[in-house]
Amino acid sequence: MTSYLIKRVLALVPVLGVVAVVVFLLIHLTPGDPAAVILGPEASEADVQALRAQLGLNDPLYVQFLRWLGGVLQGDLGDSLFIRQPVTEVLADAMGPTLSLAILAELLAVVVAVPAGIVAARRRGTAVDRAFMGGALLGISVPSFLSGLFLALVFAVGLGWFPVAGFRPLEDGLGRHLTYLVLPAIALGGLQAALIARTTRSSMLDVLTQNYMKTAKAKGLSEQVRIYKHALRNAALPVLTVIGQTFGTLIAGAAVVETVFNIPGIGQLVVNSVERRDFVVIQGVVLLIAVSYVLINLVVDVLYSILDPRIRVD
């Protein structure tokens, strides 16, 4: 297991190198002059050029990249051009609300979708199966911002059960913290729940038709033992893949829901940074999201190898 883990970690090094190059080029080849945006339309050309020199924007692109990469390797993502704070501090402040929202959305999605997928597979072709898969189709079809607005209108404005918008940190108490996150988490996790439920159902149907499941039934094992001890473990690999992919999507796709519910997370930070042309912060956010995807895939690979040891041998 240790050698497998070392190989997987070493395999990430070239991937992260490519990610760093792509992130840097995407941001720096985007049209627009940050110095001109910072100084405003009334600034003279001399002032713009002076600020460009101060920010190092007149240096060759490879020099800027090596300077940025050197800082990244030391944990320094540079300073924001507008709020004059280290990007690492800005990201740390914004990452808390986004992580809380993404984790709660993923938990709700898994808790609802996995049992729904199992029940739909066991009741294949019945009204229960059609109802669950209809709900999954609805979750895939409705955009998160629309479901967010609907939830806020019904449960916050109409019934008054939850706050309309805002965010409270965990330090204010777990109950108060969750009260502000439930509606945005449901809106954000709807698509993920639908994908996980459909994948669970499909994977379970495939496993239930295998010969070893028929053998288990012939031996007189109860349905509970056959489903939860034999079928679910073998059906878990594709479900794990979807859960890993959807968690990365939750972090990257929280911008719209955070805007609807006025949550000060990564999404709002990106929107504000794009408006200000603060490319240093945008660079840091994109790099953080890309690295999150890579690390989540590593975790999924390790869980794969735990569930199915043959993967380590391969």
Side-chain angles (χ1 to χ4, degrees), residues 250-265:
L250 286 175
I251 295 176
V256 175
V257 173
E258 287 179 359
T259 303
V260 170
F261 288 94
N262 194 28
I263 297 174

Side-chain angles (χ1 to χ4, degrees), residues 21 62 69 71 95 133 143 154 164 198 214 224 227 229 258-259 265 298:
V21 173
Y62 76 90
L69 184 62
M95 200 60 195
M133 290 304 101
V154 174
V164 178
R198 290 166 68 97
K214 296 175 183 175
Q224 300 294 327
I227 294 294
K229 186 174 181 181
E258 287 179 359
T259 303
L298 173 64

Side-chain angles (χ1 to χ4, degrees), residues 2 14 20 85 113 116 132 187 206 217 221 223 227 279 300:
T2 304
Q85 285 184 356
F132 281 156
D206 183 53
K217 186 176 182 180
L221 296 179
E223 185 177 12
I227 294 294
F279 73 90
V300 171

